[in-house]
Amino acid sequence: AQSVTQPDIHITVSEGASLELRCNYSYGATPYLFWYVQSPGQGLQLLLKYFSGDTLVQGIKGFEAEFKRSQSSFNLRKPSVHWSDAAEYFCAVGAFTGNQFYFGTGTSLTVIP
Amino acid sequence: DVKVTQSSRYLVKRTGEKVFLECVQDMDHENMFWYRQDPGLGLRLIYFSYDVKMKEKGDIPEGYSVSREKKERFSLILESASTNQTSMYLCASTGISIYEQYFGPGTRLTVT
């Protein structure tokens, strides 16, 4: 069965520190992978996506993610976190047909000064 | 820019009321989705629609129904609202060849 696991429910980092949010997936075919961010009281905004090709993908707001097929992982990284990055982050897997998506339970990020 | 709008940001309803949540997208997307979001549970799919008048149940369809009479509009209906349907409801859309989902701002529904 398809599933997405985000093992960290909550992470706290200091402003300026590096960040890595973990995501593992289980999917029968080649996955399409996404990271979304949700600010408080808002909908989800796409940060980045992976379909094929280069396994290191760049996204908006200085985020990047690396697809590792051997580990079934798609971890999100940022070299230097800003206070405005405090939000909830969701990893998702999608099917090529565009009508099947599976979301992780989210990681809440707190940034301390 | 793709725009997905939801009719209300906040809604308070009484137990037993019939509730309509409306979602409109302006990019001629084929697929539309309704999710509910609860703390610790992430996003759970209620229903999705891949064409006008077509619908498929998601993971938690009980207590909900949907309507898609026009391509751009997808409605979620709570036939008789209950307190356990208090939640954030998110609408999303995507095209057949456009793989990422575009989300609306969400409707926070409180049932008292």
Side-chain angles (χ1 to χ4, degrees):
Chain A
Q2 297 86 348
S3 67
V4 179
T5 302
Q6 293 180 248
D8 303 305
I9 296 172
H10 185 247
I11 283 182
T12 299
V13 298
S14 298
E15 191 168 15
S18 63
L19 172 71
E20 183 169 28
L21 302 182
R22 296 183 291 166
C23 173
N24 292 95
Y25 67 90
S26 172
Y27 193 72
T30 301
Y32 295 106
L33 297 161
F34 310 87
W35 274 100
Y36 286 87
V37 61
Q38 183 182 35
S39 298
Q42 303 297 315
L44 276 67
Q45 180 185 18
L46 181 69
L47 278 178
L48 49 77
K49 60 193 177 190
Y50 171 79
F51 293 159
S52 64
D54 192 347
T55 56
L56 184 64
V57 294
Q58 303 296 321
I60 62 172
K61 304 185 182 189
F63 285 91
E64 66 178 27
E66 186 172 13
F67 170 57
K68 293 185 177 180
R69 185 185 300 275
S70 62
Q71 299 177 18
S72 296
S73 69
F74 189 57
N75 294 348
L76 182 71
R77 300 194 294 247
K78 186 169 185 178
S80 178
V81 170
H82 188 262
W83 64 266
S84 61
D85 293 324
E88 186 106 22
Y89 291 81
F90 291 92
C91 180
V93 170
F96 75 96
T97 53
N99 61 9
Q100 289 181 329
F101 290 86
Y102 304 91
F103 285 84
T105 52
T107 297
S108 177
L109 175 66
T110 297
V111 180
I112 55 177
Chain B
D1 261 3
V2 175
K3 197 153 190 183
V4 180
T5 56
Q6 295 182 230
S7 51
S8 305
R9 293 298 305 275
Y10 300 93
L11 210 51
V12 180
K13 294 293 182 181
R14 293 195 181 276
T15 301
E17 277 193 81
K18 191 169 186 175
V19 182
F20 292 87
L21 303 183
E22 301 280 328
C23 175
V24 178
Q25 52 93 4
D26 66 359
M27 281 302 291
D28 202 36
H29 282 170
E30 289 79 8
N31 302 313
M32 296 187 74
F33 306 77
W34 275 107
Y35 295 91
R36 65 176 282 175
Q37 182 183 13
D38 300 288
L41 297 178
L43 276 70
R44 293 180 292 168
L45 182 65
I46 304 171
Y47 269 97
F48 74 93
S49 169
Y50 53 89
D51 201 352
V52 174
K53 297 191 186 294
M54 306 304 288
K55 61 185 178 185
E56 292 283 344
K57 292 180 180 179
D59 299 318
I60 52 164
E62 296 77 21
Y64 303 94
S65 62
V66 291
S67 172
R68 192 162 180 205
E69 297 296 319
K70 293 185 177 181
K71 192 174 186 180
E72 68 271 18
R73 188 179 299 269
F74 191 35
S75 302
L76 180 69
I77 303 155
L78 287 65
E79 295 290 342
S80 177
S82 64
T83 55
N84 63 13
Q85 293 178 309
T86 291
S87 187
M88 170 73 106
Y89 290 88
L90 293 167
C91 175
S93 74
T94 187
I96 288 176
S97 301
I98 305 170
Y99 305 110
E100 65 263 33
Q101 290 191 316
Y102 294 87
F103 283 84
T107 296
R108 184 162 295 282
L109 173 66
T110 302
V111 182
T112 61

PDB file of all heavy atoms in Angstrom, chain A residues 89-104:
ATOM      1  N   TYR A  89       5.110  21.443   7.481  1.00  0.00           N
ATOM      2  CA  TYR A  89       5.636  20.962   6.211  1.00  0.00           C
ATOM      3  C   TYR A  89       5.093  19.565   5.939  1.00  0.00           C
ATOM      4  O   TYR A  89       5.130  18.674   6.807  1.00  0.00           O
ATOM      5  CB  TYR A  89       7.168  20.939   6.246  1.00  0.00           C
ATOM      6  CG  TYR A  89       7.754  22.325   6.285  1.00  0.00           C
ATOM      7  CD1 TYR A  89       7.837  23.039   7.474  1.00  0.00           C
ATOM      8  CD2 TYR A  89       8.198  22.944   5.116  1.00  0.00           C
ATOM      9  CE1 TYR A  89       8.341  24.324   7.511  1.00  0.00           C
ATOM     10  CE2 TYR A  89       8.712  24.232   5.145  1.00  0.00           C
ATOM     11  CZ  TYR A  89       8.778  24.911   6.328  1.00  0.00           C
ATOM     12  OH  TYR A  89       9.277  26.194   6.354  1.00  0.00           O
ATOM     13  N   PHE A  90       4.617  19.382   4.713  1.00  0.00           N
ATOM     14  CA  PHE A  90       4.032  18.103   4.325  1.00  0.00           C
ATOM     15  C   PHE A  90       4.770  17.539   3.122  1.00  0.00           C
ATOM     16  O   PHE A  90       4.982  18.229   2.126  1.00  0.00           O
ATOM     17  CB  PHE A  90       2.552  18.272   3.946  1.00  0.00           C
ATOM     18  CG  PHE A  90       1.667  18.611   5.101  1.00  0.00           C
ATOM     19  CD1 PHE A  90       1.395  19.931   5.411  1.00  0.00           C
ATOM     20  CD2 PHE A  90       1.112  17.610   5.877  1.00  0.00           C
ATOM     21  CE1 PHE A  90       0.574  20.259   6.491  1.00  0.00           C
ATOM     22  CE2 PHE A  90       0.288  17.923   6.951  1.00  0.00           C
ATOM     23  CZ  PHE A  90       0.028  19.247   7.250  1.00  0.00           C
ATOM     24  N   CYS A  91       5.102  16.272   3.232  1.00  0.00           N
ATOM     25  CA  CYS A  91       5.649  15.519   2.116  1.00  0.00           C
ATOM     26  C   CYS A  91       4.496  14.761   1.459  1.00  0.00           C
ATOM     27  O   CYS A  91       3.550  14.327   2.153  1.00  0.00           O
ATOM     28  CB  CYS A  91       6.709  14.548   2.641  1.00  0.00           C
ATOM     29  SG  CYS A  91       7.507  13.527   1.407  1.00  0.00           S
ATOM     30  N   ALA A  92       4.537  14.608   0.141  1.00  0.00           N
ATOM     31  CA  ALA A  92       3.460  13.910  -0.550  1.00  0.00           C
ATOM     32  C   ALA A  92       4.002  13.105  -1.721  1.00  0.00           C
ATOM     33  O   ALA A  92       5.022  13.456  -2.318  1.00  0.00           O
ATOM     34  CB  ALA A  92       2.412  14.903  -1.043  1.00  0.00           C
ATOM     35  N   VAL A  93       3.289  12.040  -2.023  1.00  0.00           N
ATOM     36  CA  VAL A  93       3.584  11.194  -3.181  1.00  0.00           C
ATOM     37  C   VAL A  93       2.387  11.244  -4.105  1.00  0.00           C
ATOM     38  O   VAL A  93       1.241  11.184  -3.630  1.00  0.00           O
ATOM     39  CB  VAL A  93       3.830   9.738  -2.736  1.00  0.00           C
ATOM     40  CG1 VAL A  93       3.887   8.812  -3.934  1.00  0.00           C
ATOM     41  CG2 VAL A  93       5.099   9.631  -1.933  1.00  0.00           C
ATOM     42  N   GLY A  94       2.631  11.336  -5.403  1.00  0.00           N
ATOM     43  CA  GLY A  94       1.541  11.388  -6.346  1.00  0.00           C
ATOM     44  C   GLY A  94       1.724  10.393  -7.469  1.00  0.00           C
ATOM     45  O   GLY A  94       2.848   9.990  -7.789  1.00  0.00           O
ATOM     46  N   ALA A  95       0.588  10.012  -8.071  1.00  0.00           N
ATOM     47  CA  ALA A  95       0.620   9.124  -9.228  1.00  0.00           C
ATOM     48  C   ALA A  95       0.629   9.955 -10.496  1.00  0.00           C
ATOM     49  O   ALA A  95       0.168  11.088 -10.505  1.00  0.00           O
ATOM     50  CB  ALA A  95      -0.587   8.203  -9.205  1.00  0.00           C
ATOM     51  N   PHE A  96       1.103   9.387 -11.597  1.00  0.00           N
ATOM     52  CA  PHE A  96       1.253  10.146 -12.828  1.00  0.00           C
ATOM     53  C   PHE A  96      -0.097  10.575 -13.398  1.00  0.00           C
ATOM     54  O   PHE A  96      -0.167  11.487 -14.193  1.00  0.00           O
ATOM     55  CB  PHE A  96       2.012   9.330 -13.868  1.00  0.00           C
ATOM     56  CG  PHE A  96       1.196   8.229 -14.495  1.00  0.00           C
ATOM     57  CD1 PHE A  96       0.550   8.410 -15.699  1.00  0.00           C
ATOM     58  CD2 PHE A  96       1.066   7.004 -13.860  1.00  0.00           C
ATOM     59  CE1 PHE A  96      -0.202   7.403 -16.274  1.00  0.00           C
ATOM     60  CE2 PHE A  96       0.319   5.996 -14.417  1.00  0.00           C
ATOM     61  CZ  PHE A  96      -0.316   6.190 -15.631  1.00  0.00           C
ATOM     62  N   THR A  97      -1.152   9.901 -12.987  1.00  0.00           N
ATOM     63  CA  THR A  97      -2.467  10.252 -13.521  1.00  0.00           C
ATOM     64  C   THR A  97      -2.999  11.554 -12.939  1.00  0.00           C
ATOM     65  O   THR A  97      -3.954  12.112 -13.445  1.00  0.00           O
ATOM     66  CB  THR A  97      -3.486   9.147 -13.203  1.00  0.00           C
ATOM     67  OG1 THR A  97      -3.454   8.895 -11.786  1.00  0.00           O
ATOM     68  CG2 THR A  97      -3.161   7.880 -13.955  1.00  0.00           C
ATOM     69  N   GLY A  98      -2.372  12.001 -11.873  1.00  0.00           N
ATOM     70  CA  GLY A  98      -2.809  13.266 -11.285  1.00  0.00           C
ATOM     71  C   GLY A  98      -3.997  13.162 -10.375  1.00  0.00           C
ATOM     72  O   GLY A  98      -4.509  14.162  -9.900  1.00  0.00           O
ATOM     73  N   ASN A  99      -4.469  11.957 -10.116  1.00  0.00           N
ATOM     74  CA  ASN A  99      -5.629  11.858  -9.245  1.00  0.00           C
ATOM     75  C   ASN A  99      -5.392  10.984  -8.027  1.00  0.00           C
ATOM     76  O   ASN A  99      -6.346  10.540  -7.383  1.00  0.00           O
ATOM     77  CB  ASN A  99      -6.848  11.365 -10.019  1.00  0.00           C
ATOM     78  CG  ASN A  99      -6.628   9.979 -10.607  1.00  0.00           C
ATOM     79  OD1 ASN A  99      -5.646   9.319 -10.300  1.00  0.00           O
ATOM     80  ND2 ASN A  99      -7.532   9.550 -11.451  1.00  0.00           N
ATOM     81  N   GLN A 100      -4.166  10.700  -7.702  1.00  0.00           N
ATOM     82  CA  GLN A 100      -3.858   9.968  -6.484  1.00  0.00           C
ATOM     83  C   GLN A 100      -2.702  10.654  -5.783  1.00  0.00           C
ATOM     84  O   GLN A 100      -1.616  10.770  -6.336  1.00  0.00           O
ATOM     85  CB  GLN A 100      -3.457   8.526  -6.790  1.00  0.00           C
ATOM     86  CG  GLN A 100      -4.599   7.647  -7.266  1.00  0.00           C
ATOM     87  CD  GLN A 100      -4.144   6.233  -7.535  1.00  0.00           C
ATOM     88  OE1 GLN A 100      -3.008   6.002  -7.927  1.00  0.00           O
ATOM     89  NE2 GLN A 100      -5.021   5.278  -7.315  1.00  0.00           N
ATOM     90  N   PHE A 101      -2.981  11.105  -4.587  1.00  0.00           N
ATOM     91  CA  PHE A 101      -1.954  11.757  -3.783  1.00  0.00           C
ATOM     92  C   PHE A 101      -2.008  11.210  -2.368  1.00  0.00           C
ATOM     93  O   PHE A 101      -3.081  10.956  -1.834  1.00  0.00           O
ATOM     94  CB  PHE A 101      -2.181  13.270  -3.731  1.00  0.00           C
ATOM     95  CG  PHE A 101      -1.912  13.969  -5.032  1.00  0.00           C
ATOM     96  CD1 PHE A 101      -2.894  14.056  -5.998  1.00  0.00           C
ATOM     97  CD2 PHE A 101      -0.678  14.533  -5.288  1.00  0.00           C
ATOM     98  CE1 PHE A 101      -2.653  14.689  -7.192  1.00  0.00           C
ATOM     99  CE2 PHE A 101      -0.431  15.174  -6.485  1.00  0.00           C
ATOM    100  CZ  PHE A 101      -1.414  15.256  -7.446  1.00  0.00           C
ATOM    101  N   TYR A 102      -0.836  11.045  -1.787  1.00  0.00           N
ATOM    102  CA  TYR A 102      -0.761  10.555  -0.416  1.00  0.00           C
ATOM    103  C   TYR A 102       0.143  11.505   0.355  1.00  0.00           C
ATOM    104  O   TYR A 102       1.258  11.780  -0.049  1.00  0.00           O
ATOM    105  CB  TYR A 102      -0.207   9.128  -0.369  1.00  0.00           C
ATOM    106  CG  TYR A 102      -1.018   8.187  -1.211  1.00  0.00           C
ATOM    107  CD1 TYR A 102      -0.688   7.958  -2.540  1.00  0.00           C
ATOM    108  CD2 TYR A 102      -2.137   7.559  -0.689  1.00  0.00           C
ATOM    109  CE1 TYR A 102      -1.448   7.125  -3.331  1.00  0.00           C
ATOM    110  CE2 TYR A 102      -2.904   6.710  -1.474  1.00  0.00           C
ATOM    111  CZ  TYR A 102      -2.552   6.504  -2.795  1.00  0.00           C
ATOM    112  OH  TYR A 102      -3.318   5.683  -3.577  1.00  0.00           O
ATOM    113  N   PHE A 103      -0.383  11.989   1.468  1.00  0.00           N
ATOM    114  CA  PHE A 103       0.338  12.975   2.262  1.00  0.00           C
ATOM    115  C   PHE A 103       0.851  12.348   3.559  1.00  0.00           C
ATOM    116  O   PHE A 103       0.195  11.487   4.157  1.00  0.00           O
ATOM    117  CB  PHE A 103      -0.578  14.143   2.615  1.00  0.00           C
ATOM    118  CG  PHE A 103      -0.848  15.069   1.472  1.00  0.00           C
ATOM    119  CD1 PHE A 103      -1.858  14.787   0.559  1.00  0.00           C
ATOM    120  CD2 PHE A 103      -0.092  16.213   1.286  1.00  0.00           C
ATOM    121  CE1 PHE A 103      -2.112  15.629  -0.507  1.00  0.00           C
ATOM    122  CE2 PHE A 103      -0.337  17.068   0.222  1.00  0.00           C
ATOM    123  CZ  PHE A 103      -1.340  16.767  -0.677  1.00  0.00           C
ATOM    124  N   GLY A 104       2.002  12.825   3.992  1.00  0.00           N
ATOM    125  CA  GLY A 104       2.457  12.503   5.329  1.00  0.00           C
ATOM    126  C   GLY A 104       1.664  13.295   6.355  1.00  0.00           C
ATOM    127  O   GLY A 104       0.855  14.156   6.008  1.00  0.00           O
TER     128      GLY A 104
END
